[in-house]
Amino acid sequence: MRFQSPLVPARLIRRYKRFLADVRLEETGEVITAHCPNPGAMTGLAGEGMRVWLEPNRNPAAKLSHGWRLVELPGGHWAGIDTAVPNRVAKEALMAGAVPALAAYTGVRPEVRTGEKSRIDFLLSEPGLPDAWVEVKNVHLSRDGTLAEFPDCVTARGARHLDELAALARAGARAVMLYIVQRTDCDAMALARDIDPGYGAAFDRARDAGVEMLCHGTAITPEGVEFGPALPVER
């Protein structure tokens, strides 16, 4: 997945009201307010002075001229903070057959209803195979070395998605939770059970019901975010 516009570097001044961030553009020194497309805690990714990368908004009618996309990390590593990016990365990978566990499916439909009020990110189909329902989650928390963790805040919605996948699995469908780690400094993923015990319990219920837990890393540069290798999921 390539960014639509070349990113520009800035220094973070502060993130506030969840979806706003004041930054100082490196090229001009101008202070602007950028859109922060992330409702989570963003622990370790929103410190004052961090070097961040913004995407200029092509829509002249938009209220904010830039959207925050990346954070530079120590050691030449990167983290993506846009929670919409993993779905775009996953869609490209699924359509290209690049997810090994799901490579047999050629039909990819996004945002498919599972009930009156619920949607799952992707429904995969292939003659002779059971339909596969795939939910995608963005992962960018890391508090312990090279271990990524999910979630970074309490997410009742995330727990509900796991319960919906579990119900699909019990009904005979294939159900998959696909975690996309938007960091280049992690080599495994675990649940942040101390942050959200309810999500941890939902994860256990879903796995016991037959939901497959997949995790993949990403390759990140200011040009884009690409689907990466499989990473182990620790309970």
Side-chain angles (χ1 to χ4, degrees), residues 33-175:
T33 299
H35 177 231
C36 175
N38 191 312
M42 290 181 60
T43 303
L45 300 177
E48 180 181 355
M50 295 188 81
R51 195 173 194 226
V52 300
W53 290 73
L54 316 175
E55 184 173 19
N57 196 326
R58 290 183 172 184
N59 182 1
K63 292 182 179 180
L64 299 176
S65 61
H66 292 72
W68 184 1
R69 298 291 179 261
L70 304 179
V71 177
E72 285 194 35
L73 301 174
H77 289 288
W78 298 86
I81 66 96
D82 187 342
T83 58
V85 164
N87 279 62
R88 295 165 61 189
V89 170
K91 183 179 180 180
E92 288 184 0
L94 290 168
M95 294 184 70
V99 184
L102 301 168
Y105 292 89
T106 57
V108 179
R109 292 173 55 199
E111 294 289 327
V112 180
R113 286 188 178 276
T114 59
E116 291 185 3
K117 298 181 179 180
S118 298
R119 294 177 183 269
I120 298 295
D121 288 327
F122 298 100
L123 174 59
L124 310 185
S125 59
E126 183 67 25
L129 296 177
D131 287 347
W133 297 83
V134 182
E135 181 69 18
V136 178
K137 294 300 179 190
N138 172 68
V139 183
H140 58 33
L141 172 65
S142 180
R143 300 177 293 177
D144 182 13
T146 60
L147 183 67
E149 296 179 275
F150 184 88
D152 74 343
C153 63
V154 174
T155 173
R157 183 170 179 265
R160 188 182 75 247
H161 286 155
L162 283 169
D163 286 335
E164 290 168 350
L165 287 173
L168 290 166
R170 293 190 194 99
R174 190 176 179 188

Side-chain angles (χ1 to χ4, degrees), residues 201-221:
F203 179 96
D204 294 338
R205 290 193 300 270
R207 176 170 270 182
D208 290 345
V211 176
E212 300 170 48
M213 305 300 180
L214 304 181
C215 180
H216 279 260
T218 50
I220 302 174
T221 70

